[in-house]
Amino acid sequence: MIITLEHGVPQQDIDKIVSVLQKYSYAPTEVKTQQSHYLVGIGTDEIDIRSIGHLSGVKDIHRVSDPYKLVSRKWKVTPTVIDLGDGVAIEEGGLSLIAGPCSIENEEQVEAIVEHLNHHNVKIMRGGAFKPRTSPYSFQGSGFNGLKMFYQIAKSHGIKIISEVVAASQIEGMYDYVDIFQVGTRNSQNFDLLHQLGSIDKPVLIKRGMSGTIEELLQSAEYVFASGNEKLILCERGIRTFEKAYRNVLDLNAVPVLKEKSHLPIIVDPSHGIGVRRWVEPMALAAIVAGADGIIYEVHKNPESAYSDGQQTLNFEESSRLIEKARAVFELRRSL
Amino acid sequence: MIITLEHGVPQQDIDKIVSVLQKYSYAPTEVKTQQSHYLVGIGTDEIDIRSIGHLSGVKDIHRVSDPYKLVSRKWKVTPTVIDLGDGVAIEEGGLSLIAGPCSIENEEQVEAIVEHLNHHNVKIMRGGAFKPRTSPYSFQGSGFNGLKMFYQIAKSHGIKIISEVVAASQIEGMYDYVDIFQVGTRNSQNFDLLHQLGSIDKPVLIKRGMSGTIEELLQSAEYVFASGNEKLILCERGIRTFEKAYRNVLDLNAVPVLKEKSHLPIIVDPSHGIGVRRWVEPMALAAIVAGADGIIYEVHKNPESAYSDGQQTLNFEESSRLIEKARAVFELRRSL
Amino acid sequence: MIITLEHGVPQQDIDKIVSVLQKYSYAPTEVKTQQSHYLVGIGTDEIDIRSIGHLSGVKDIHRVSDPYKLVSRKWKVTPTVIDLGDGVAIEEGGLSLIAGPCSIENEEQVEAIVEHLNHHNVKIMRGGAFKPRTSPYSFQGSGFNGLKMFYQIAKSHGIKIISEVVAASQIEGMYDYVDIFQVGTRNSQNFDLLHQLGSIDKPVLIKRGMSGTIEELLQSAEYVFASGNEKLILCERGIRTFEKAYRNVLDLNAVPVLKEKSHLPIIVDPSHGIGVRRWVEPMALAAIVAGADGIIYEVHKNPESAYSDGQQTLNFEESSRLIEKARAVFELRRSL
Amino acid sequence: MIITLEHGVPQQDIDKIVSVLQKYSYAPTEVKTQQSHYLVGIGTDEIDIRSIGHLSGVKDIHRVSDPYKLVSRKWKVTPTVIDLGDGVAIEEGGLSLIAGPCSIENEEQVEAIVEHLNHHNVKIMRGGAFKPRTSPYSFQGSGFNGLKMFYQIAKSHGIKIISEVVAASQIEGMYDYVDIFQVGTRNSQNFDLLHQLGSIDKPVLIKRGMSGTIEELLQSAEYVFASGNEKLILCERGIRTFEKAYRNVLDLNAVPVLKEKSHLPIIVDPSHGIGVRRWVEPMALAAIVAGADGIIYEVHKNPESAYSDGQQTLNFEESSRLIEKARAVFELRRSL
């Protein structure tokens, strides 16, 4: 059950509502976000919510039978809009194109891609400065210096950036240099990291775990929301199965299902999903037709010489073609 | 290695080629189909294929490094066209819509669906008469009588049919009453059945096993081809994973990959794939954009009262909308 | 619901019971096996089974809430004994060792293994004459001639044999030359084959599908039982997952679970399970401690030169050591 | 390639070795642990390691072709012993029993279990104070206060404890109150946490990710080792598959494989593995026979009232029986 509280509700009103919830054997959790103030009640008894709805301080009350609550569409039917400022937003019914290299390498690399994106009016750029790598001996990213350089070049060209955070201790240092924090697939259930990301006011994109269920992805988003941050984006990036003909199985089934279950926008990552350059385009287009609110993919001037993930990274020509086709497919989807 | 033999090649020429192959430690398999005559050579040594290419009786020779041979695109670059007669074909670059009930129930049911399909100019109808069911106590299908009734009604309206064969012993009895034999996911590696289907001259659609790899699906098709039947269609229908939010994970990654690896047409089954009625449409459209040559889905006048699979079956209104959108998406794909 | 009928029950008694079942909305299936005569009722309504229990012709009646019925332990608490004659049996509380080559090759090969088994008093030998192979160009087995040779040599030394059947059409021809029919993992849901195996009176060992659930394995056994054959053995042989460090994941969790759910004996196949020779022994011993009623493994005089599966096949020395250890572990299990 | 350096090797020697490595295109990483000092060289060229072996400061040099290096048995053939002091150790060839509740609840609970363990001479107790839970509204553990209470009671009875760390920021605070840090399945690839655990001198037990491969588990251990901590324990705890008859698939195949690939001890967790109380015992015994160096399982005075995981937690009677049988099975394994 989700109770939205009135703005500036006095503490004694909250106490009263909590005591009524407890009387009904509902465990209350108080959630204060930048946007609003809630009480989430967890319980199993059937109760008449009107008996709570009329209490002083209650603005609104909804039953939510899902295991996740605040991210559920059962409660909030209007889709969440992630406003990045300067007219850039990620939202239902839109098509957010997010592109960039796997890893930030150097100024020349970033500038070339920024120019490519600007040419196509793509407004959000991806790029990792902290890379979670299976081996401790692999390239671990260019770190804070790389991130700052990335941010400054992008910003000077009006481009927003998204970059992965791999440790709670980095949040503060990264804060001024990212527009969106990305939580990677291996940290999808790093609850401490998710909890800490609840205390900031910048958007967080959460990738599905490589063997994460739809419900677990939504619960991970619930962690951030319940810790105070409503600015959330979900990302399907492929799951791990028995099939070895491609890197992962990009699971487009997740798109209509997540759209139905949650009010949060859904982005699809075909690069990590299928993991092979020449197959990225069809999967990206399929994701858009399936209802994704955007795609995030890897692009590089010379994929062959990229520090990481070159085999799944598009070159500029392929990227240009994808952008054009993606917009055509999106226009068709809107018209159907 | 695939050697296409000249039409009417004399036996002594074949013997000579075989002996050369054996000299190079290549194990030869002679394959005679309705269309052509081949020698498939399996070996690992590097040889100069020109030394075979000039032998008498050899029309053409190709190296194929894939584990599957005759179904590989490395050998046959022109896509295979499945001609069903009367202007109906399943082929690369086309959009074959195949729809119908999970199970054939009665004349009234079949007639209603035939009318629905005819109204939309859909030329191929699916419908099971022999149902492979997990439990021996579930409805096992209407059998030969159901199949004959289905075929006759469809034929009288100019509609081709596809129906599942679950035992080699049924092939002969079914032969006159189907246009396409379907091999279901549980029989995807029933090699005896596949082998027997090689001896007929009607098309065979092979569904991917529920945990079958891309390579295994192609090898299953190879069984039928190597037994004499080139008229093959591949079908992606969802794989089994840890995720339980949907029936299966419809794996659209298979579409571009199969298109690249094989010259056979690829059909996608979103009904069994995602398994929930209201999510069938987005997955069907995504499949088309991803490059599928057609889709096969379940439709019924009253899905709620269908004998089987009602939860994933569209009603006529939903089906009409899907057909219209599918064609619009297909037109866009062609234009990109 | 399972109703065991009196021996020689008259038809009118059956009709009466059926009509009562139907009155309660229970769909009846009559099952006649070599051992007994049953009515299986499928329904969901709560009914007082005593109202059926007192009807004429009813020997016994049990509620079985599982989706599988006749193979459930909820109905039949005494374990099923598979009596192979000559004092050889597969049964709960015993340790059946079954060993032999992947494929039957020639007399010399069979004789060497027979001698090895006889030396260790191992009474059941495995060996495939019909091999289901992913590729049509791989060795497909030595066929009926190989099987007959295998059977005759084994029989002359007092050894029972198990061999895989891959097509319903082979059952009749194989009948005189096998003691146990094996259904392989790829045919685990070949319902036609399972149904046909119901009409014979020789035991059938059913391997779990490579992505088959526990429930599906039991339902496959239910098919054979409901078709008339109660002599069933279940076999865990490894499932397909994301892990590629071994051939399959031998799933020993299945052992205690199947023992609890079914009255049928459970055999474990560590050779196909883990698929690497030097790891077969620990998995075999683990299976026995976990409660398996026996193990089936591959042995060959020269595994390196075996026609198939050499990498997972033990040589005689390894096999001797395994047999000795297996018996020691089994003795300990009995004493705990 | 792993170069073990002489104790107190001067910097100029290291510089020289590094320059030789770089000349051969091997990227060097210097690793300093509490025990020793290494250079790990990553490269692909074939080189004669003797040309490095004779350099000043080199104690030993080994080629390691595995992707993980320092945890590989190819380099270090003597098994690693985890000495916890007071005669308690986890090591190859031993049987470490580790038992305790899922969550630390209160003094009474801890004391009862301590008494139970002491009675059976079990020397290591598990208990979570920080619980990673899928839902933010579930019980999150008793925190530092719970951990301190747990540690003090256990210590006063001579029992060592293991407890899960879920955030790098907790390491310092936990340090004085745990004998072994546990990294849970969801943090198995939390590389920041693993890296931070490299800087302490207490043992770390790393659980396999729920869809983690054998190689990934070893690479996670490599992270800790390469960050300075050699005191590592690997733990198999079940993987996520399609099967829903049990919580996870406890993968005992991992036991012989990890024993072969690594010099680190291997512990198995049957409680989280199969996840059902009455099936824990057979899986625990199977793990021991398969070669595990110990088991970790959940026990509680009243499993039904445990704060978490009660369904997979043994009561004292069941635990007593398991301990006795585990030791008998272990004795047998040693004697084989």
Side-chain angles (χ1 to χ4, degrees):
Chain A
M1 177 194 315
I2 295 173
I3 299 162
T4 308
L5 299 171
E6 297 284 0
H7 183 73
V9 57
Q11 187 59 42
Q12 70 263 38
D13 280 4
I14 298 178
D15 295 346
K16 171 67 182 165
I17 303 166
V18 162
S19 74
V20 173
L21 279 173
Q22 288 170 333
K23 200 185 66 186
Y24 289 130
S25 301
Y26 270 62
T29 299
E30 191 177 345
V31 172
K32 239 183 178 157
T33 72
Q34 307 272 340
Q35 282 73 37
S36 201
H37 196 168
Y38 312 92
L39 281 173
V40 179
I42 306 292
T44 51
D45 290 358
E46 283 286 318
I47 60 173
D48 183 345
I49 60 173
R50 285 172 304 181
S51 64
I52 294 168
H54 74 271
L55 293 174
S56 178
V58 174
K59 188 173 164 193
D60 211 354
I61 180 164
H62 292 86
R63 261 200 211 91
V64 180
S65 55
D66 297 324
Y68 40 87
K69 305 291 173 187
L70 292 158
V71 303
S72 172
R73 202 157 206 152
K74 291 219 177 97
W75 156 70
K76 179 167 177 287
V77 291
T78 38
T80 290
V81 176
I82 304 298
D83 188 348
L84 299 168
D86 304 318
V88 183
I90 297 174
E91 62 184 310
E92 183 162 303
L95 175 67
S96 294
L97 298 176
I98 307 175
C102 178
S103 303
I104 293 305
E105 295 168 9
N106 52 53
E107 291 191 23
E108 192 195 340
Q109 174 223 33
V110 172
E111 276 164 358
I113 301 173
V114 160
E115 192 184 337
H116 168 71
L117 298 183
N118 249 343
H119 177 72
H120 289 288
N121 200 30
V122 169
K123 288 303 192 188
I124 313 177
M125 183 165 163
R126 60 153 287 149
F130 305 97
K131 303 300 302 173
R133 303 299 294 275
T134 301
S135 166
Y137 310 117
S138 298
F139 174 62
Q140 305 275 317
S142 55
F144 279 111
N145 288 340
L147 181 66
K148 287 178 191 175
M149 175 271 286
F150 173 29
Y151 180 73
Q152 279 149 2
I153 295 174
K155 190 179 164 70
S156 70
H157 290 81
I159 285 184
K160 307 295 176 183
I161 73 162
I162 175 170
S163 198
E164 181 166 353
V165 55
V166 300
S169 60
Q170 296 166 337
I171 297 173
E172 199 181 329
M174 289 178 71
Y175 184 83
D176 287 334
Y177 305 101
V178 291
D179 298 294
I180 307 173
F181 283 86
Q182 177 182 312
V183 175
T185 190
R186 288 173 187 77
N187 283 311
S188 196
Q189 291 197 304
N190 180 338
F191 300 124
D192 174 62
L193 180 61
L194 295 169
H195 176 64
Q196 301 296 336
L197 287 167
S199 62
I200 59 168
D201 62 357
K202 289 207 172 177
V204 178
L205 177 144
I206 306 172
K207 288 199 165 183
R208 185 180 181 184
M210 65 181 74
S211 67
T213 63
I214 294 294
E215 187 179 314
E216 287 172 339
L217 174 57
L218 290 168
Q219 287 280 31
S220 291
E222 185 83 13
Y223 260 94
V224 188
F225 198 133
S227 303
N229 187 351
E230 300 196 11
K231 297 175 179 169
L232 295 165
I233 305 157
L234 305 173
C235 182
E236 159 60 33
R237 51 75 70 195
I239 56 172
R240 184 171 271 188
T241 75
F242 58 86
E243 179 62 72
K244 296 293 155 186
Y246 10 97
R247 183 171 181 182
N248 290 294
V249 169
L250 185 70
D251 178 11
L252 295 183
N253 305 268
V255 176
V257 177
L258 285 170
K259 298 289 324 162
E260 179 179 304
K261 292 187 184 294
S262 177
H263 53 80
L264 299 173
I266 319 297
I267 299 293
V268 170
D269 177 349
S271 300
H272 286 85
I274 197 163
V276 177
R277 197 171 157 185
R278 64 190 180 281
W279 299 328
V280 167
E281 182 189 295
M283 296 313 286
L285 302 182
I288 294 168
V289 163
D293 302 315
I295 53 172
I296 181 168
Y297 68 94
E298 293 182 339
V299 63
H300 193 283
K301 192 174 181 180
N302 297 110
E304 292 74 14
S305 64
Y307 286 13
S308 52
D309 277 357
Q311 80 292 342
Q312 68 193 28
T313 300
L314 304 191
N315 63 28
F316 288 174
E317 197 186 319
E318 293 160 336
S319 171
S320 298
R321 202 162 52 226
L322 173 57
I323 293 166
E324 192 187 343
K325 290 187 183 182
R327 286 174 174 155
V329 166
F330 172 66
E331 285 312 315
L332 177 69
R333 189 186 89 196
R334 287 227 288 204
S335 74
L336 288 177
Chain B
M1 179 195 312
I2 296 173
I3 298 161
T4 308
L5 300 170
E6 297 283 2
H7 184 73
V9 58
Q11 188 60 43
Q12 69 262 39
D13 281 3
I14 298 179
D15 295 345
K16 170 68 183 162
I17 304 166
V18 162
S19 74
V20 173
L21 279 173
Q22 288 169 334
K23 202 186 64 187
Y24 288 130
S25 301
Y26 271 61
T29 300
E30 190 178 345
V31 172
K32 240 183 179 158
T33 71
Q34 307 273 338
Q35 282 73 38
S36 202
H37 196 166
Y38 313 91
L39 280 172
V40 179
I42 306 293
T44 51
D45 290 359
E46 284 286 318
I47 61 173
D48 183 346
I49 60 173
R50 287 171 303 181
S51 65
I52 293 168
H54 75 272
L55 293 174
S56 177
V58 173
K59 187 174 165 194
D60 210 357
I61 180 164
H62 292 87
R63 262 202 210 89
V64 180
S65 55
D66 297 323
Y68 40 87
K69 305 291 174 190
L70 292 158
V71 303
S72 171
R73 203 157 207 152
K74 292 219 178 93
W75 155 70
K76 180 168 178 285
V77 292
T78 39
T80 290
V81 176
I82 305 298
D83 187 348
L84 300 168
D86 305 317
V88 183
I90 297 174
E91 62 183 311
E92 185 163 303
L95 175 67
S96 293
L97 299 176
I98 307 174
C102 177
S103 304
I104 294 305
E105 295 167 10
N106 53 53
E107 292 190 23
E108 192 195 338
Q109 175 223 31
V110 172
E111 277 164 357
I113 300 173
V114 161
E115 191 183 341
H116 168 70
L117 298 183
N118 249 342
H119 177 71
H120 290 288
N121 200 30
V122 169
K123 286 304 192 189
I124 313 176
M125 183 165 163
R126 61 153 288 150
F130 305 97
K131 302 302 301 173
R133 303 299 295 273
T134 302
S135 166
Y137 310 116
S138 298
F139 173 62
Q140 306 276 318
S142 56
F144 280 110
N145 288 340
L147 181 66
K148 288 178 191 175
M149 176 270 286
F150 172 30
Y151 180 73
Q152 281 150 0
I153 295 175
K155 190 179 165 69
S156 70
H157 290 81
I159 285 183
K160 308 294 176 185
I161 74 162
I162 174 170
S163 198
E164 181 166 354
V165 54
V166 300
S169 59
Q170 296 165 337
I171 297 173
E172 200 181 329
M174 289 178 71
Y175 184 83
D176 288 334
Y177 306 101
V178 291
D179 297 293
I180 307 172
F181 283 86
Q182 176 182 313
V183 175
T185 190
R186 288 173 188 77
N187 283 310
S188 196
Q189 291 196 304
N190 180 339
F191 301 124
D192 175 62
L193 179 61
L194 295 169
H195 176 64
Q196 301 297 337
L197 288 166
S199 63
I200 60 167
D201 62 356
K202 289 207 172 176
V204 178
L205 177 145
I206 306 172
K207 288 199 165 183
R208 183 180 182 185
M210 65 181 74
S211 67
T213 63
I214 294 295
E215 187 179 316
E216 287 171 339
L217 175 56
L218 290 167
Q219 287 279 33
S220 291
E222 186 83 12
Y223 260 94
V224 188
F225 198 133
S227 303
N229 187 351
E230 301 198 10
K231 297 176 180 169
L232 295 165
I233 305 156
L234 305 173
C235 182
E236 159 60 32
R237 51 73 71 194
I239 56 172
R240 184 171 270 187
T241 75
F242 59 86
E243 179 62 72
K244 296 293 155 185
Y246 11 97
R247 183 171 180 183
N248 290 294
V249 169
L250 185 70
D251 178 12
L252 295 183
N253 305 266
V255 176
V257 177
L258 285 169
K259 297 291 321 164
E260 179 178 306
K261 292 188 184 294
S262 178
H263 53 80
L264 300 173
I266 319 296
I267 300 293
V268 170
D269 176 349
S271 300
H272 287 85
I274 197 163
V276 176
R277 195 172 160 184
R278 64 190 180 280
W279 298 328
V280 167
E281 181 189 296
M283 296 314 286
L285 301 181
I288 295 168
V289 163
D293 301 316
I295 53 172
I296 181 168
Y297 67 94
E298 293 182 339
V299 62
H300 194 283
K301 192 173 180 180
N302 297 110
E304 292 74 12
S305 64
Y307 286 12
S308 51
D309 278 356
Q311 81 293 343
Q312 69 193 29
T313 300
L314 305 190
N315 63 29
F316 288 173
E317 197 186 319
E318 293 161 336
S319 171
S320 298
R321 203 161 51 225
L322 173 56
I323 294 167
E324 192 186 345
K325 291 187 182 181
R327 287 174 173 155
V329 166
F330 172 66
E331 285 311 314
L332 177 68
R333 189 186 88 195
R334 288 227 287 203
S335 73
L336 287 177
Chain C
M1 179 194 313
I2 296 174
I3 299 161
T4 308
L5 299 172
E6 297 284 1
H7 184 72
V9 58
Q11 188 59 43
Q12 68 264 39
D13 280 3
I14 299 178
D15 294 346
K16 170 68 183 165
I17 303 166
V18 162
S19 74
V20 173
L21 279 173
Q22 288 170 332
K23 201 187 66 187
Y24 289 131
S25 301
Y26 271 62
T29 300
E30 191 178 344
V31 172
K32 239 182 179 159
T33 71
Q34 306 273 338
Q35 281 73 37
S36 202
H37 196 167
Y38 313 91
L39 280 173
V40 178
I42 306 292
T44 51
D45 290 359
E46 284 286 319
I47 62 173
D48 183 346
I49 61 173
R50 288 172 302 181
S51 64
I52 294 167
H54 74 272
L55 292 175
S56 177
V58 173
K59 188 174 165 194
D60 210 356
I61 180 164
H62 292 86
R63 262 201 210 90
V64 180
S65 55
D66 296 323
Y68 40 88
K69 305 290 175 191
L70 292 158
V71 303
S72 172
R73 203 158 206 152
K74 292 219 177 94
W75 156 70
K76 179 167 177 288
V77 292
T78 38
T80 290
V81 176
I82 304 298
D83 188 348
L84 299 168
D86 304 318
V88 183
I90 297 174
E91 61 183 311
E92 184 162 303
L95 175 67
S96 294
L97 298 177
I98 307 173
C102 178
S103 303
I104 295 304
E105 295 167 11
N106 52 54
E107 291 189 25
E108 193 196 338
Q109 175 222 33
V110 172
E111 277 163 359
I113 300 173
V114 161
E115 192 183 339
H116 168 71
L117 299 184
N118 250 342
H119 177 71
H120 290 288
N121 200 29
V122 169
K123 287 304 193 188
I124 314 175
M125 182 165 163
R126 60 153 289 149
F130 304 98
K131 303 301 302 173
R133 303 299 295 274
T134 302
S135 165
Y137 310 117
S138 299
F139 173 61
Q140 306 276 317
S142 55
F144 280 110
N145 288 339
L147 181 66
K148 288 178 192 176
M149 176 269 286
F150 173 29
Y151 180 74
Q152 280 150 1
I153 296 174
K155 190 179 166 68
S156 70
H157 290 81
I159 286 183
K160 308 295 176 183
I161 74 162
I162 175 170
S163 198
E164 182 166 353
V165 55
V166 301
S169 59
Q170 296 166 336
I171 297 174
E172 200 181 328
M174 290 178 70
Y175 183 84
D176 287 335
Y177 306 100
V178 292
D179 298 294
I180 307 173
F181 283 86
Q182 177 183 312
V183 175
T185 191
R186 289 173 186 77
N187 282 311
S188 196
Q189 292 197 303
N190 180 339
F191 301 123
D192 175 61
L193 179 60
L194 295 169
H195 176 65
Q196 301 296 337
L197 287 165
S199 63
I200 60 167
D201 62 357
K202 289 209 171 174
V204 178
L205 176 143
I206 306 173
K207 288 200 165 182
R208 183 180 182 184
M210 64 180 73
S211 67
T213 62
I214 294 295
E215 187 179 315
E216 286 171 340
L217 174 57
L218 290 168
Q219 287 280 30
S220 291
E222 185 83 13
Y223 259 94
V224 188
F225 198 133
S227 304
N229 187 350
E230 300 198 10
K231 297 174 180 169
L232 295 166
I233 305 156
L234 305 174
C235 181
E236 160 59 32
R237 50 76 68 196
I239 56 172
R240 184 171 270 189
T241 75
F242 59 86
E243 179 63 72
K244 297 292 154 186
Y246 9 98
R247 183 172 180 182
N248 290 294
V249 169
L250 184 70
D251 178 12
L252 295 183
N253 306 267
V255 176
V257 177
L258 285 170
K259 297 289 323 162
E260 179 179 305
K261 293 187 184 296
S262 178
H263 53 81
L264 299 173
I266 318 297
I267 300 294
V268 170
D269 177 349
S271 300
H272 286 85
I274 197 163
V276 177
R277 197 171 158 184
R278 65 191 180 279
W279 299 328
V280 166
E281 181 189 295
M283 296 313 286
L285 302 182
I288 294 168
V289 164
D293 302 315
I295 52 172
I296 181 168
Y297 68 94
E298 292 181 341
V299 63
H300 193 282
K301 193 173 180 181
N302 297 112
E304 291 74 14
S305 64
Y307 287 13
S308 49
D309 277 356
Q311 79 293 342
Q312 69 193 28
T313 300
L314 304 191
N315 62 29
F316 288 173
E317 197 186 318
E318 293 161 335
S319 172
S320 298
R321 202 162 52 226
L322 173 56
I323 293 166
E324 192 187 343
K325 291 188 183 180
R327 286 174 175 155
V329 166
F330 173 65
E331 284 312 315
L332 176 69
R333 189 187 86 195
R334 286 226 288 202
S335 73
L336 287 177
Chain D
M1 180 195 311
I2 295 173
I3 299 161
T4 307
L5 300 171
E6 297 283 2
H7 184 73
V9 58
Q11 187 60 42
Q12 68 263 39
D13 280 3
I14 298 179
D15 294 346
K16 170 68 181 164
I17 304 166
V18 162
S19 74
V20 173
L21 279 173
Q22 287 169 335
K23 201 186 67 187
Y24 288 130
S25 301
Y26 270 62
T29 300
E30 190 178 346
V31 172
K32 240 182 178 160
T33 71
Q34 306 272 338
Q35 281 73 38
S36 202
H37 196 167
Y38 313 91
L39 281 173
V40 179
I42 306 292
T44 51
D45 289 0
E46 283 288 316
I47 61 174
D48 182 345
I49 61 173
R50 288 171 303 181
S51 65
I52 294 168
H54 75 272
L55 293 175
S56 177
V58 173
K59 186 174 165 195
D60 210 357
I61 180 164
H62 292 88
R63 262 201 211 90
V64 180
S65 55
D66 297 323
Y68 41 88
K69 305 291 174 190
L70 292 158
V71 302
S72 172
R73 203 157 207 154
K74 292 219 178 95
W75 155 70
K76 180 169 177 284
V77 292
T78 39
T80 290
V81 176
I82 304 298
D83 187 348
L84 299 168
D86 304 317
V88 182
I90 297 174
E91 61 184 311
E92 185 162 303
L95 176 67
S96 294
L97 298 177
I98 307 173
C102 178
S103 304
I104 295 304
E105 295 168 9
N106 52 53
E107 291 190 24
E108 192 196 339
Q109 175 223 31
V110 172
E111 278 164 358
I113 301 173
V114 161
E115 192 183 340
H116 168 71
L117 299 183
N118 250 342
H119 177 72
H120 290 288
N121 200 30
V122 169
K123 286 305 194 187
I124 314 176
M125 183 166 163
R126 60 154 287 149
F130 304 97
K131 303 302 301 173
R133 303 298 295 275
T134 302
S135 165
Y137 309 117
S138 298
F139 173 62
Q140 305 277 316
S142 56
F144 280 109
N145 287 340
L147 180 66
K148 288 179 191 176
M149 176 270 286
F150 172 29
Y151 180 74
Q152 281 150 359
I153 294 175
K155 190 179 166 68
S156 70
H157 290 80
I159 286 184
K160 307 294 176 184
I161 73 163
I162 175 171
S163 198
E164 181 167 355
V165 54
V166 300
S169 59
Q170 296 165 337
I171 297 173
E172 199 182 329
M174 289 177 71
Y175 184 83
D176 288 334
Y177 305 101
V178 291
D179 297 294
I180 306 172
F181 283 86
Q182 176 182 314
V183 175
T185 191
R186 289 173 186 78
N187 282 311
S188 195
Q189 290 197 303
N190 180 340
F191 301 123
D192 175 62
L193 179 61
L194 295 168
H195 176 65
Q196 301 296 337
L197 287 165
S199 62
I200 60 167
D201 62 357
K202 289 208 172 176
V204 178
L205 176 145
I206 306 173
K207 289 199 163 183
R208 184 180 182 185
M210 65 181 74
S211 68
T213 63
I214 294 295
E215 187 180 316
E216 286 171 340
L217 174 57
L218 290 167
Q219 287 279 31
S220 291
E222 185 83 12
Y223 259 94
V224 188
F225 198 132
S227 304
N229 187 351
E230 300 198 10
K231 298 176 180 168
L232 294 166
I233 305 156
L234 305 174
C235 182
E236 159 60 33
R237 50 74 70 196
I239 55 173
R240 184 171 270 187
T241 74
F242 59 85
E243 179 61 73
K244 296 294 154 184
Y246 10 97
R247 182 171 180 183
N248 290 294
V249 169
L250 185 70
D251 178 11
L252 295 182
N253 306 266
V255 176
V257 177
L258 285 169
K259 298 290 321 164
E260 178 178 306
K261 293 186 184 295
S262 178
H263 53 79
L264 300 173
I266 319 296
I267 300 293
V268 170
D269 176 351
S271 301
H272 286 84
I274 197 163
V276 176
R277 196 173 160 184
R278 65 189 179 280
W279 299 328
V280 167
E281 182 190 295
M283 297 313 287
L285 301 182
I288 294 168
V289 163
D293 302 315
I295 53 171
I296 181 168
Y297 67 94
E298 292 182 340
V299 63
H300 193 283
K301 192 174 180 180
N302 297 111
E304 292 73 13
S305 64
Y307 286 14
S308 50
D309 277 356
Q311 81 293 342
Q312 69 192 28
T313 300
L314 304 191
N315 63 29
F316 288 172
E317 198 187 319
E318 293 161 336
S319 172
S320 298
R321 203 162 51 226
L322 173 56
I323 293 166
E324 191 186 345
K325 292 188 182 181
R327 286 175 174 154
V329 167
F330 172 66
E331 284 312 315
L332 177 68
R333 189 186 87 196
R334 287 225 289 201
S335 73
L336 287 177

